[in-house]
Structure formats: C-alpha cells, structure tokens
C-alpha cells in the first residue's frame, strides 16, 4: 500500500534496545543443549527430526518455490525439515527474539533461523540475540572466502561467527530501453534529468524498505563522491551532514517528477516492480538484477527491459542467515546454513532465482563451475563481471539508521 500525504509516515524499523545479558549466561541447562559445533557428526545426529523455522522475506515467489522445493528435498536427506515463516520486514523476527529474551525465554525459542540484513544483525548483536561460533565449522565453509571483508563484516559490523553467508546481492538500474536511451542511464544526474523531462515515470520505495534505502544511499554516494568519506562504524558528522542536506534538497526538487508527483511513495520493492510491469514507470533500482530475466521471460516485464550500472557504481553486499541464541533447533539450523553453501545448492539457487553465488567459485569442482558459467539469465541481465566491475561497499549500520530517519523527516514528511 503506498504512502500518501497528508499521512506520509513510515514505521521506522528501529526498536529501543536495552543492553541485555550475554547469550552464553543463561545457565547450565542451556549449555547442555547447545550443539557441539566442532563435531559435525554430532550436529547431524542432533538435527534429525528437527523442523527449522526460517523467518525470511516472503515476497519473492521464485525464492519461495526454491525453499519449498529444492532446499526442502536436499534437507530431507538429513531428516531435517524447513518451515518457511514469511515476513515483510526482518525487524519483525528480531523483535520476536528480543521479546522472548526480555521475558526470560532463553531456551525453546520460536525462531530458529533469520534471513537477516545488516541493520538488524547489528541490533541483534548489540542485544546478544545471536548464537555464535559456528560459521567456519560448517563443512561447506571451505567454499567461503573468509578473507573477503564483505564476508567478515556485515554493514561494517564484524560477523565474528554470529551469522553465515548464503547469497550475494548487487544493485543495478532496470529500465525500459524503449523509453530511455543509454545516455539517460549513464549517471544519477542524467537519470534525474530524464525523470524531470518525463514526470511520473520513475520512483523508488520509501525507506526503510531495503531497496528504497539502497536507492537513497546510491544518490548519497553520488552527492559525496563515493563512500570513502563515510567510513567507520559511527556517523562522521563533518562529512555526512552537509552531503545529506544537499541530497535532501536534490530529492525534494525531484519529487514533482516522481510517480504521482512524489505525493505517494511505494512501500515496498514489490510495489515498484508491479508499477513497472503495469507500464506505470519506466525505470527502477533493484537489489535483484539476476531475477529480472525470469520476469521478462515470463512476460511480466517488457522484452525491451535492460540493466545498467550508473557511473557512481553499484552497491553490493552479501546476504546472511543468523541463528537466535535461544533457538529450539540450533543443530537443524546449522544443517540448513551448511546446505545453503553447498555448491550444488548455490547453483540451483542461481538458476531458480538469479541470486548470485556467495561462495568462491574457484573452490567449486570443474563440472559445477562450468554449470555456473553456463547459466543464461537472458540478454536483459548484466553478467556477473559487468555487474561487479565497479562495486561500492555498504555503509555501517549506524549510517543506515540515520539516513532512513533523516530521509523520513526531510523528504517524506516535508
């Protein structure tokens, strides 16, 4: 449902947190139920018969089918089941675990695994909500490049064994080449100029939607010349504040050229994609460029759809799964996290959803590597080399929270 004036407000996914006791201090009874992370045979034994309740974004039909099909079948070999709990915002799962901790429910928790984003991972880490110390113990961790900062840090926050990578996300601009030329999509400035000449044909979802937040960060990178001056775990006011003020002016100036004159912002990326599929807009930013080919092939998006990376570069990150400290089925969750890193599973995920692999393909057996290389997402999709030629890192979680709050106050509620 769109956000419309005069009630232009977004429920910011931020919860006031109280620093809570560490997850390892819940008592001897809890310690006795913890899986022995260094003994995989023991983990497999403990996991038998368990059903892993995986809280994850449920708006991607292809991903939902992958979970209920390929992943479910592969986990059955270990007598492990997965119950996909579909949510629209990761904060819902994190708040559920936090509420259980505040209520003293340190065992038998209702959430076993979370597809977590960097912002909410940081929130949970601060509150000691995560089970840690297993990521490098997973047998398939040998396929993960632990020298990659995008693996060891999540939005600037050290992972420290408290989550496991499972797919790679990169941003791109999706556009209808029948409506925009290559010159129109060279830069943020040329895109905005096109939008001003063609009012109503471009928009982005309102932060804190994950992709909407990325769109605003992309515009901020363009304003400040990249993320280099915005490094560190805390907000550097001297660099951020003047760039943000200039950006809010720029986005306010753009508003009349947006879909519905900027009076309404879509609340989700799914809403934006429906607008594009319905011919109401001609361009949008995405975190899932690999999935675009399927949408075209299925006749949802026009055949004239193309992708590009603006000259500011594209923002890239890895997606992770995290196990809550009080999960009832930690062993099963570890088996699921390990299965997600299996090269054959990663290939099936790539083929089914267009989600780019999170593993180091140099470690993959030659036959599977050829299969990865042979995946054809269609002429509408950038290949991985094009997509990653000019990537930009994510900002620290503190920046994300600040940017979303400032955008809400300075743009949405203006």
């Amino acid at each position: 449902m769109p956000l419309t004036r005069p009630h232009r407000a977004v429920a910011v996914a931020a919860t006031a947190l109280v620093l809570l006791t560490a997850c390892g201090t819940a008592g001897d009874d809890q310690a006795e139920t913890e899986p022995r992370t260094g003994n995989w045979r023991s983990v497999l034994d403990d996991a038998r018969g368990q059903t892993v309740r995986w809280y994850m974004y449920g708006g991607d039909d292809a991903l939902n089918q992958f979970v209920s099909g390929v992943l479910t079948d592969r986990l059955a070999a270990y007598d492990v089941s997965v119950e996909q709990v579909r949510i629209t915002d990761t904060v819902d799962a994190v708040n559920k675990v936090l509420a259980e901790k505040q209520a003293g429910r340190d065992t038998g928790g209702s959430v076993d695994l979370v597809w977590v984003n960097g912002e909410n991972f940081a929130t949970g880490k601060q509150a000691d909500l995560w089970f840690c110390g297993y990521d490098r113990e997973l047998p398939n961790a040998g396929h993960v490049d632990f020298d990659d900062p995008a693996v060891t840090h999540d939005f600037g926050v050290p992972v420290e064994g408290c989550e496991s990578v499972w797919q790679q996300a990169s941003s791109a601009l999706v556009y209808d080449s029948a409506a925009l030329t290559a010159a129109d999509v060279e830069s943020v400035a040329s895109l905005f100029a096109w939008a001003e000449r063609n009012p109503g044909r471009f928009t982005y979802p309102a932060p804190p939607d994950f992709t909407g937040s990325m769109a605003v960060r992309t515009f901020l990178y363009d304003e400040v010349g990249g993320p280099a001056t915005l490094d560190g775990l805390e907000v550097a006011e001297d660099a951020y504040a003047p760039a943000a003020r200039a950006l809010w002016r720029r986005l306010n100036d753009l508003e009349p050229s947006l879909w519905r004159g900027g009076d309404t912002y879509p609340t989700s990326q799914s809403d934006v994609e429906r607008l594009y599929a319905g011919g109401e807009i001609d361009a949008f930013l995405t975190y899932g460029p690999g999935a675009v080919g399927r949408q075209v092939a299925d006749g949802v998006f026009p055949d004239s759809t193309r992708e590009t990376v603006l000259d500011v570069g594209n923002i890239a990150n890895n997606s992770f799964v995290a196990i809550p400290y009080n999960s009832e089925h930690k062993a099963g969750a570890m088996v699921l996290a390990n299965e997600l890193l299996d090269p054959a599973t990663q290939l099936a995920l790539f083929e089914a959803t267009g989600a780019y692999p999170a593993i180091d393909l140099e470690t993959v057996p030659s036959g599977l590597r050829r299969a990865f290389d042979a995946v054809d997402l269609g002429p509408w999709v950038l290949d991985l080399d094009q997509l990653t030629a000019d990537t930009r890192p994510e900002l620290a979680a503190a920046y994300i929270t600040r940017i979303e709050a400032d955008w809400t106050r300075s743009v949405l509620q203006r």
Side-chain angles (χ1 to χ4, degrees), residues 39-283:
N39 185 333
W40 191 247
R41 184 175 296 277
S42 173
V43 172
L44 291 176
D45 287 343
D46 291 345
R48 287 195 184 98
Q50 291 187 349
T51 296
V52 180
R53 292 158 296 197
W54 186 7
Y55 281 64
M56 63 186 299
Y57 172 68
D60 186 328
D61 291 339
L63 182 57
N64 295 338
Q65 292 169 13
F66 168 82
V67 172
S68 63
V70 173
L71 186 61
T72 294
D73 290 345
R74 293 184 68 87
L75 288 173
Y78 306 100
D79 193 19
V80 174
S81 302
V82 57
E83 177 186 335
Q84 184 190 13
V85 182
R86 300 178 187 179
I87 54 178
T88 57
D89 196 324
T90 305
V91 75
D92 296 338
V94 176
N95 283 345
K96 192 175 188 67
V97 179
L98 179 63
E100 291 179 349
K101 184 158 194 173
Q102 291 172 330
R105 187 177 175 182
D106 293 325
T107 59
S110 59
V111 181
D112 295 314
L113 194 69
V114 181
W115 176 8
V116 66
N117 60 36
E119 217 176 336
N120 288 296
F121 172 68
T123 295
K125 195 162 186 256
Q126 181 188 23
D128 292 312
L129 297 185
W130 307 127
F131 172 63
C132 303
Y134 63 91
D135 62 336
R136 297 177 189 242
E137 301 292 339
L138 302 176
N140 285 322
H143 297 296
V144 177
D145 181 5
F146 286 103
D147 292 326
D148 183 354
V151 171
T152 59
H153 290 73
D154 190 358
F155 282 65
V157 178
V159 169
E160 297 178 322
C162 298
E163 58 181 355
S164 177
V165 68
W166 76 290
Q167 63 170 282
Q168 182 186 142
S170 292
S171 65
L173 180 73
V174 180
Y175 68 100
D176 187 346
S177 62
L180 291 88
T181 68
D184 294 327
V185 297
E186 284 181 354
S187 65
V188 173
S190 65
L191 176 65
F192 283 10
W194 172 86
E196 289 168 1
R197 295 193 305 271
N198 298 271
R201 307 301 296 178
F202 176 68
T203 193
Y204 57 94
D209 173 83
F210 193 57
T211 306
S213 184
M214 173 273 290
V216 174
R217 294 197 300 280
T218 299
F219 306 150
L220 177 62
Y221 283 8
D222 188 65
E223 192 67 42
V224 78
T229 60
L230 303 176
D231 60 356
L233 292 178
E234 301 300 326
V235 175
E237 288 292 339
D238 290 348
Y240 169 75
R245 284 194 296 270
L247 177 61
W248 308 143
R249 288 194 297 269
R250 192 177 182 188
L251 293 183
N252 284 324
D253 289 344
L254 178 68
E255 266 198 340
S257 302
L258 296 178
W259 176 70
R260 293 190 176 175
D263 285 337
T264 294
Y265 284 84
T267 57
S268 71
Q269 182 67 5
S270 298
D271 290 341
V272 170
E273 292 181 9
R274 281 192 287 270
L275 291 175
Y276 181 76
E280 292 192 57
I281 61 172
D282 296 316

Side-chain angles (χ1 to χ4, degrees), residues 20 35 106 150 202 256 293 332 345-346 348 376 388-389 408:
L20 302 170
D106 293 325
F202 176 68
T345 305
Q346 288 273 300
D376 183 7
T388 59
T408 299

Side-chain angles (χ1 to χ4, degrees), residues 115 148 150 155 167-174 210-211 214-215 217-218 269 273 284-292 307-310 313-319 350 354-358 381-394:
W115 176 8
D148 183 354
F155 282 65
Q167 63 170 282
Q168 182 186 142
S170 292
S171 65
L173 180 73
V174 180
F210 193 57
T211 306
M214 173 273 290
R217 294 197 300 280
T218 299
Q269 182 67 5
E273 292 181 9
F284 64 94
L285 284 155
T286 183
Y287 248 141
V292 169
E307 294 178 351
T308 192
V309 173
L310 300 169
N314 67 325
I315 298 176
N317 63 63
N318 284 318
S319 291
F350 187 28
Y356 294 101
V381 177
L382 294 173
D383 66 38
L384 195 54
D385 290 339
Q386 292 173 303
L387 192 65
T388 59
D390 193 21
T391 58
R392 298 286 184 267
E394 292 284 9

